[in-house]
Amino acid sequence: MLQAAIVVLLIGILISLAAGFYFFYKDQGRSKRVMYALGVRVTMAVILMVLVFYGLSTGQLNLQTPWNL
């Protein structure tokens, strides 16, 4: 469940990045949509960091590489 939430947040961050890129070139700096996209991206990144920290602290996520199991 936690890993699915992390993947969804990563996809959301990429979508927000693409939207900000589109708004930047379409509006040529005349609107605040780029800043709103940045705010959404930063918020999702903070939530992502909190989820990763929570997963590491509870043991739901680990730092092992697949080849060192």
Side-chain angles (χ1 to χ4, degrees), residues 1-2 5 12 14 17 21 24 27 31 33 35 37 50-51 59-61 64:
M1 182 71 177
L2 183 65
L14 290 176
L17 181 65
F21 181 74
F24 180 72
D27 297 342
S31 75
R33 294 194 298 181
M35 294 305 294
V50 167
L51 281 179
Q60 293 181 18
L61 299 175
Q64 287 184 335

Side-chain angles (χ1 to χ4, degrees), residues 35-69:
M35 294 305 294
Y36 292 142
L38 175 65
V40 168
R41 193 165 54 249
V42 168
T43 302
M44 283 193 283
V46 168
I47 293 170
L48 178 66
M49 287 189 291
V50 167
L51 281 179
V52 168
F53 180 73
Y54 172 76
L56 290 173
S57 65
T58 60
Q60 293 181 18
L61 299 175
N62 57 11
L63 293 175
Q64 287 184 335
T65 56
W67 52 86
N68 285 337
L69 293 177

